[in-house]
Amino acid sequence: MSQAWIITTDSRIKAIVDSLGGKFDKITAIVVGKAEVKGVDHVIRIDVADGVPFEASVPAVIETIQANSGDVIVARQGEAERVLGTAVAAHLVAPVLVSVRELSQTTAIVGRFGGITNETVEFEGPVVAIIDGGGESEGNIPTEENTNGMSYHATVISEDFVEAESVNISAAKRLVAVGRGFAQEADLDIARDLAKALGAELACSRPLAEGNGWMSRETYVGISGQHVAPEIYAAVGISGQIQHTAGMADSTIVVAVNKDENAAIFSIADYGIVGDLYDVLPQLTKAIES
């Protein structure tokens, strides 16, 4: 019997469950913490005491997963899950796959060079894949059991928070992405107005997250950031270099707004507007609202 194991600390695993459905005899979620998940066959919950980081549960996760040949382990794309998943891989001496597009018992299609191309990877025995979870899990309420496995002695003694927008852009069906065309952080409000009118989420290019610090790292799209595939992707003030477009190449409809008529983003856009975003966005928002 083939089995897929999902390691998560979060209920947002719908994309993982959907990708595994019908390919395995059983899907078991190893839930570290209190998240409630649906759509899997069985849940094994590992309790975590207050003040203890999820990563301290590495020994318990390793002990819980009894993977055999034909099994796969999927770790949700999250900071704690990446630690837990790679620890399991080290214990099993199993390969770790990232940028996974499709996964079965013996093969995986993974993105290479930041998603510019795909490669089919074949493997024997268990493998650990890191996959974005998507939205809230849906479906049946699974059977559940609790385990109190070993954990490392660790306690969070301080936290350093950066106030930023928190959103799961990989699950969004519509995105407005902002780039260096914006002169200052306050100007992003006109993009937020457009996103609200479209029923979209706000994303960005890497410089606005890691350079300017205007938005959280979870919201930037690109080779080293999020890979998204919304129905509508509006790129505003983004030049369209491969470092960014590799992360949104699977978008269904691409709309570009840029004052440079030679910007690379227009070569992949379905619809393009050449103009100053400070003039275009308010007019576009008004037109959509009316």
Side-chain angles (χ1 to χ4, degrees):
M1 181 180 74
S2 63
Q3 185 167 189
W5 306 79
I6 301 173
I7 302 171
T8 186
T9 66
D10 196 297
S11 60
R12 294 174 295 179
I13 59 169
K14 183 179 185 300
I16 296 175
V17 175
D18 290 348
S19 68
L20 298 174
K23 300 176 183 177
F24 297 88
D25 298 315
K26 184 177 182 180
I27 300 177
T28 298
I30 310 298
V31 180
V32 180
K34 299 179 180 180
E36 298 293 332
V37 302
K38 299 177 181 179
V40 300
D41 299 304
H42 187 58
V43 167
I44 302 176
R45 186 175 303 279
I46 298 175
D47 294 322
V48 178
D50 293 340
V52 176
F54 293 130
E55 293 88 340
S57 298
V58 160
V61 174
I62 289 175
E63 181 182 357
T64 301
I65 295 179
Q66 303 296 320
N68 300 306
S69 178
D71 288 2
V72 299
I73 300 104
V74 177
R76 178 183 172 275
Q77 179 73 275
E79 293 181 359
E81 290 91 340
R82 287 196 296 269
V83 172
L84 296 169
T86 51
V88 170
H91 175 74
L92 296 174
V93 193
V96 177
L97 302 177
V98 297
S99 300
V100 177
R101 304 291 179 84
E102 294 183 23
L103 183 65
S104 68
Q105 297 178 35
T106 57
T107 62
I109 297 177
V110 299
R112 295 301 192 198
F113 308 108
I116 299 174
T117 186
N118 292 331
E119 178 184 3
T120 299
V121 177
E122 297 182 355
F123 50 84
E124 295 181 2
V127 65
V128 176
I130 311 295
I131 300 179
D132 186 87
E136 293 286 334
S137 58
E138 302 172 347
N140 62 290
I141 298 176
T143 59
E144 182 172 323
E145 63 177 291
N146 284 62
T147 182
N148 294 311
M150 293 176 55
S151 65
Y152 294 126
H153 296 290
T155 304
V156 176
I157 60 174
S158 67
E159 295 179 297
D160 184 12
F161 288 103
V162 175
E163 290 191 14
E165 298 168 78
S166 178
V167 61
N168 183 22
I169 64 171
S170 63
K173 294 191 179 299
R174 297 179 180 182
L175 284 172
V176 173
V178 294
R180 292 196 210 187
F182 287 82
Q184 54 188 1
E185 184 176 2
D187 297 342
L188 297 183
D189 284 343
I190 61 174
R192 291 188 178 95
D193 291 340
L194 176 61
K196 183 178 179 180
L198 280 171
E201 301 290 352
L202 195 67
C204 66
S205 60
R206 180 174 180 175
L208 268 63
E210 294 202 334
N212 297 348
W214 293 352
M215 296 182 63
S216 69
R217 293 181 178 179
E218 289 73 22
T219 60
Y220 87 74
V221 176
I223 285 180
S224 57
Q226 298 287 341
H227 288 240
V228 299
E231 295 172 358
I232 298 176
Y233 188 89
V236 182
I238 293 176
S239 63
Q241 298 303 310
I242 188 63
Q243 291 88 342
H244 177 78
T245 58
M248 45 71 67
D250 293 330
S251 302
T252 304
I253 297 175
V254 176
V255 180
V257 178
N258 201 294
K259 64 182 179 181
D260 179 5
E261 64 180 10
N262 296 314
I265 192 68
F266 289 123
S267 66
I268 63 169
D270 298 285
Y271 302 95
I273 301 175
V274 178
D276 191 321
L277 65 87
Y278 290 95
D279 296 326
V280 173
L281 263 60
Q283 295 182 55
L284 193 56
T285 301
K286 184 178 179 179
I288 294 171
E289 290 175 338
S290 62

